[in-house]
């Protein structure tokens, strides 16, 4: 949606706009700027938060997530949402899916001051949210993030192989992969 909007705003053909944007994206990939809606709004001259709202109909809860969160609650486990999503993007998502009540806290990489892919993320998160690395279960759909978490000593890592209903599953070669959170219920 961003390439299409960018093309229209800048009087470009869609493939040309996409190529320009890919070059810009790669320049900040795996950094905090990558997820910063304010950065992208300024850099691209688009209101990215508004664009997120325009496509919020695409946001949905993964299958069996509510079952998993309910199960964790029944077990007395504390559940936190740790995300690279910008606070404005997270707000759009939480308005749409209404699952915020299941989490003790929602923490964004913006609050931490580093992206989850960056090694400095984890010690900074530890200061905000003291947790036992050895007993923590962390699930993510990005292997770079899981590698970073493993490097910090997070004990139980799970790869989400199907982060989007619109994409084919991509299983990890390094971590146990799940297609659905039902697989974590036992």
């Amino acid at each position: 949606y961003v390439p299409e909007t960018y093309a229209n705003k800048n009087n470009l053909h869609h493939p040309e706009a996409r190529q320009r944007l890919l070059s810009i994206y790669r320049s900040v990939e795996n950094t905090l700027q990558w997820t910063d809606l304010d950065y992208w709004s300024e850099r691209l001259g688009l209101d990215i938060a508004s664009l997120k709202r325009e496509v919020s109909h695409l946001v949905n809860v993964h299958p069996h997530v509510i079952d998993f969160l309910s199960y964790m609650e029944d077990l007395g486990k504390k559940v936190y949402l740790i995300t690279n999503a910008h606070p404005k993007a997270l707000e759009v998502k939480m308005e749409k899916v209404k699952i915020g009540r299941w989490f003790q806290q929602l923490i964004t990489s913006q609050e931490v001051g580093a992206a989850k892919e960056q090694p400095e993320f984890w010690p900074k998160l530890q200061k905000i949210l003291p947790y036992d690395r050895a007993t923590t279960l962390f699930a993510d759909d990005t292997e770079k993030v899981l590698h970073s978490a493993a490097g910090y000593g997070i004990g139980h890592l799970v790869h989400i192989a199907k982060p989007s209903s619109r994409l084919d599953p991509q299983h990890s070669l390094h971590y146990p992969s799940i297609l659905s959170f039902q697989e974590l219920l036992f």
Side-chain angles (χ1 to χ4, degrees), residues 3-134:
E4 179 183 323
T5 306
Y6 184 79
N8 291 339
K9 180 179 191 272
N10 292 288
N11 219 10
L12 300 169
H13 292 289
H14 189 268
E16 182 184 355
R18 189 170 175 75
Q19 280 306 108
R20 280 191 195 182
L21 291 174
L22 282 174
S23 173
I24 296 169
Y25 294 164
R26 287 184 185 118
S27 73
V28 295
E29 195 173 16
N30 301 316
T31 70
L32 198 54
Q33 287 175 319
W34 172 252
T35 65
D36 187 339
L37 299 191
D38 297 326
Y39 168 82
W40 289 112
S41 292
E42 184 178 320
R43 180 96 187 250
L44 303 179
L46 301 171
D47 185 346
I48 301 296
S50 291
L51 294 178
K52 288 268 187 198
R53 287 195 188 289
E54 289 175 23
V55 295
S56 67
H57 62 280
L58 299 174
V59 175
N60 214 333
V61 178
H62 285 270
H64 305 289
V65 163
I66 300 296
D67 297 334
F68 172 75
L69 294 171
S70 179
Y71 180 65
M72 291 294 101
E73 183 177 67
D74 290 347
L75 292 176
K77 301 293 184 184
K78 293 180 180 176
V79 181
Y80 299 88
L81 179 66
I82 311 300
T83 180
N84 271 345
H86 188 273
K88 291 176 185 176
L90 183 59
E91 180 182 326
V92 169
K93 290 176 181 184
M94 288 296 127
E95 285 173 6
K96 174 71 175 162
V97 297
K98 310 264 190 247
I99 61 170
R101 80 155 199 88
W102 297 99
F103 300 100
Q104 274 63 43
Q105 192 173 351
L106 309 174
I107 300 174
T108 68
S109 57
Q110 296 290 319
E111 294 171 67
V112 175
K116 292 187 298 183
E117 295 86 339
Q118 299 174 301
E120 62 269 25
F121 175 88
W122 301 98
K124 288 180 175 189
L125 176 64
Q126 184 83 54
K127 289 179 182 172
I128 295 169
L129 176 66
Y131 58 92
D132 181 350
R133 292 185 244 184

